[in-house]
Amino acid sequence: MGFLKCFLGTTLLLVVVFSVSNGDPLVPALNIFGDSVVDVGNNNNLSTLIKANFPPYGRDFVTHRPTGRFCNGKLATDFTAEYLGFTSYPPAYFSPEARGKNILTGVNFASAASGYYDRTPQLYRALTLAQQLNNYREWQGKVVNLVGRTQANNIFSGGIHLLSAGSSDFIQNYYINPMLNRVYSPDRFSDMLMQSYSSFVQNLYNLGARKIGVTTLPPTGCLPAAITLFGAGSNQCVARLNQDAVFFNRKLNTTSDNLKSRLPGLKLVVFDIYQPLLDLITKPTDNGFFESRRACCGTGTLETSFLCNVRSIGTCSNATQYVFWDGFHPSEAANEKLAQSLLEQGFDLIS
């Protein structure tokens, strides 16, 4: 079974590579929404402390410069853009690159520390999903002005829209906020997040989007920072956090099935990030990694954003051996593995 999955995945990747090698991308545009897992620099322009526009972030990126990506190099969505045949990555909406014809192939609206629950990004002065959606509407108007309504509608309906959210709601809000965790059970909190998710998809659909992908929660209890913060001195994944993620992901699948049944013509794919990342964490050597508990930056137990900086003593020299770059975010090498899994799961969005 493992061999068959590997064979099919490799075959699919070869088909996609062959398809895009002779011309245009497989889809007209790639638009991205969500949190720090997919933010490529929008937070650089916000009055938030949640930023990654300084070394050692970006040290292994193509430019060897920090861009605002919470990684040493490329994000999973960067690899996805390459697999889809794009010659550049969707620029941050607030960046100078998001101008003129550059925006026609899609834009990145994500903001680190964003989430389904509006209070989460508001705590950190990040963009809510509603604000990201407003920026998307603004982008649509610019596209119409550039190419006309007919071609613009084809870009909106044929383009892929990816959403990554939920981790910040739990790790950076619910688990540390007694005003939430004493009032709502994880199950009830997940229900609230599902209402927000459902509204977001409905709003995107009403704006003409027909191809939408959403990522599940990762194994949040295995993030190095989560183990440090909630592991009670243990060096193991925090079981209750992982259990909350599993229950959330079940709701995400059920809610997505309901949306597909209600919205004609909607292609909605739930990308399982949980199991592929858990496999990298629990079987690192099988996947070419040396370290899956400690992250590369600093002590590798907590650092992220300004705690991961050029003075972080002990930052590893070779991030390709590490599953995690900082306390919350995968390394470029892990992102490449995750992107390959996304490609295998998302064939419906490009077919």
Side-chain angles (χ1 to χ4, degrees):
M1 185 67 186
F3 169 78
L4 179 59
K5 182 181 177 185
C6 180
F7 173 76
L8 291 174
T10 304
T11 302
L12 177 57
L13 184 57
L14 288 173
V15 168
V16 170
V17 169
F18 178 77
S19 298
V20 302
S21 63
N22 294 318
D24 295 332
L26 293 171
V27 292
L30 175 61
N31 287 299
I32 297 163
F33 306 85
D35 53 22
S36 60
V37 177
V38 292
D39 185 359
V40 296
N42 282 308
N43 274 28
N44 298 355
N45 300 285
L46 303 179
S47 59
T48 175
L49 291 176
I50 313 299
K51 297 185 180 187
N53 58 342
F54 47 83
Y57 288 105
R59 71 177 200 193
D60 302 314
F61 193 61
V62 287
T63 59
H64 301 291
R65 295 163 62 98
T67 61
R69 288 167 170 80
F70 285 74
C71 187
N72 60 302
K74 298 175 190 175
L75 305 179
T77 46
D78 294 322
F79 287 108
T80 300
E82 292 176 3
Y83 296 156
L84 291 173
F86 292 102
T87 55
S88 60
Y89 309 124
Y93 186 63
F94 292 147
S95 71
E97 291 74 37
R99 300 286 184 274
K101 292 186 177 180
N102 283 354
I103 70 169
L104 292 179
T105 52
V107 172
N108 186 306
F109 303 94
S111 175
S114 190
Y116 292 117
Y117 186 60
D118 279 354
R119 292 287 179 85
T120 302
Q122 289 166 355
L123 278 173
Y124 298 96
R125 296 184 176 180
L127 298 176
T128 65
L129 286 181
Q131 290 170 316
Q132 292 181 37
L133 199 64
N134 283 337
N135 290 334
Y136 175 76
R137 286 192 189 94
E138 193 175 271
W139 168 80
Q140 285 193 323
K142 294 176 181 178
V143 172
V144 171
N145 289 337
L146 283 167
V147 299
R149 172 56 68 179
T150 301
Q151 189 177 341
N153 285 345
N154 291 335
I155 292 173
F156 307 151
S157 62
I160 291 177
H161 302 72
L162 295 181
L163 170 63
S164 164
S167 294
S168 295
D169 292 315
F170 280 97
I171 301 289
Q172 292 170 259
N173 196 355
Y174 179 80
Y175 292 132
I176 60 173
N177 187 349
M179 294 181 69
L180 280 178
N181 59 46
R182 288 181 183 173
V183 177
Y184 303 106
S185 67
D187 185 60
R188 178 71 189 100
F189 186 61
S190 290
D191 286 340
M192 293 163 59
L193 301 187
M194 284 303 107
Q195 291 173 4
S196 174
Y197 163 65
S198 186
S199 295
F200 183 82
V201 171
Q202 177 78 61
N203 286 328
L204 261 185
Y205 179 87
N206 290 342
L207 290 169
R210 292 297 180 269
K211 297 181 176 183
I212 302 173
V214 59
T215 58
T216 65
L217 285 186
T220 46
C222 296
L223 305 181
I227 295 174
T228 301
L229 291 169
F230 309 111
S234 165
N235 201 35
Q236 305 300 313
C237 296
V238 185
R240 69 180 176 90
L241 269 63
N242 279 355
Q243 186 178 49
D244 289 345
V246 168
F247 289 154
F248 174 92
N249 293 342
R250 287 178 187 167
K251 289 178 187 286
L252 188 67
N253 277 287
T254 301
T255 303
S256 298
D257 286 341
N258 291 337
L259 285 164
K260 283 188 286 186
S261 68
R262 287 196 295 107
L263 302 175
L266 175 65
K267 289 186 175 182
L268 177 57
V269 173
V270 178
F271 291 103
D272 175 25
I273 290 292
Y274 186 98
Q275 194 59 49
L277 185 54
L278 187 65
D279 288 343
L280 299 186
I281 293 165
T282 56
K283 297 174 284 189
T285 54
D286 290 357
N287 293 282
F289 295 96
F290 166 75
E291 176 63 70
S292 64
R293 164 60 186 95
R294 289 174 63 252
C296 174
C297 191
T299 63
T301 55
L302 186 62
E303 292 88 351
T304 193
S305 193
F306 281 103
L307 293 177
C308 174
N309 58 62
V310 73
R311 294 188 179 88
S312 297
I313 305 299
T315 295
C316 74
S317 59
N318 186 3
T320 59
Q321 298 179 342
Y322 285 69
V323 173
F324 290 99
W325 163 247
D326 67 16
F328 288 92
H329 304 100
S331 65
E332 178 184 79
N335 280 331
E336 184 170 17
K337 299 272 189 184
L338 294 174
Q340 289 168 1
S341 178
L342 292 179
L343 182 66
E344 293 169 22
Q345 296 177 50
F347 201 63
D348 265 2
L349 296 181
I350 55 178
S351 60

